[in-house]
Amino acid sequence: MIDYKQSSMVDIAFDLMKKKKKPVDFYKLWQEVSEIKGFDEEQKLENESLFYTNITLDGRLITVGENRWDLRSRHKFEEVHIDMNDIYNEEEEVEEEDEDDGSIEDDYN
């Protein structure tokens, strides 16, 4: 039996997700992790954003949309990979659309 009291929240989430067959809503996963850790209501509130940040950065878990999370190992690389070149190209297009036409507007009159 794993000593969950000494385990990190992310390790507990990973272990729980290995036992599940499909993606899980973040709040359901957080509820299960916080119960295992024995958090009271104040501790739940204090640790929820830390947990979200940690599972985002961990790499073993991924969001599959609509705030549902699953194991990365269950998904093909193409499904979960974000091409950063696409993101940068989109930002450049938005910046080009927002460019100033060169005229000076007087905001004080």
Side-chain angles (χ1 to χ4, degrees):
M1 170 105 186
I2 298 173
D3 181 11
Y4 284 126
K5 298 290 183 189
Q6 299 301 318
S7 298
S8 73
M9 294 182 290
V10 175
D11 287 341
I12 293 169
F14 179 70
D15 194 50
L16 289 171
M17 289 304 301
K18 287 192 300 186
K19 298 173 186 172
K20 298 180 184 300
K21 303 291 185 211
K22 59 184 182 177
V24 175
D25 179 75
F26 169 79
Y27 295 105
K28 180 173 178 21
L29 183 60
W30 171 236
Q31 184 65 34
E32 291 178 30
V33 169
S34 59
E35 285 176 13
I36 289 170
K37 290 295 281 183
F39 291 159
D40 60 28
E41 288 304 313
E42 185 176 333
Q43 289 171 314
K44 285 181 188 179
L45 292 172
E46 290 173 355
N47 288 292
E48 183 176 354
S49 61
L50 176 63
F51 175 65
Y52 188 88
T53 300
N54 288 343
I55 64 171
T56 301
L57 296 174
D58 184 79
R60 295 177 289 175
L61 299 168
I62 59 165
T63 182
V64 293
E66 298 181 12
N67 210 17
R68 295 166 38 103
W69 291 81
D70 201 3
L71 295 176
R72 179 177 296 275
S73 61
R74 292 186 186 145
H75 298 269
K76 294 180 182 177
F77 177 79
E78 296 81 25
E79 294 174 354
V80 297
H81 175 71
I82 298 172
D83 187 352
M84 296 307 289
N85 291 323
D86 292 341
I87 292 172
Y88 289 127
N89 288 337
E90 289 174 12
E91 288 178 3
E92 289 173 7
E93 290 173 10
V94 170
E95 288 176 11
E96 289 173 7
E97 292 172 6
D98 293 340
E99 282 185 13
D100 192 2
D101 64 1
S103 64
I104 299 173
E105 294 182 23
D106 187 355
D107 292 333
Y108 298 101
N109 292 329

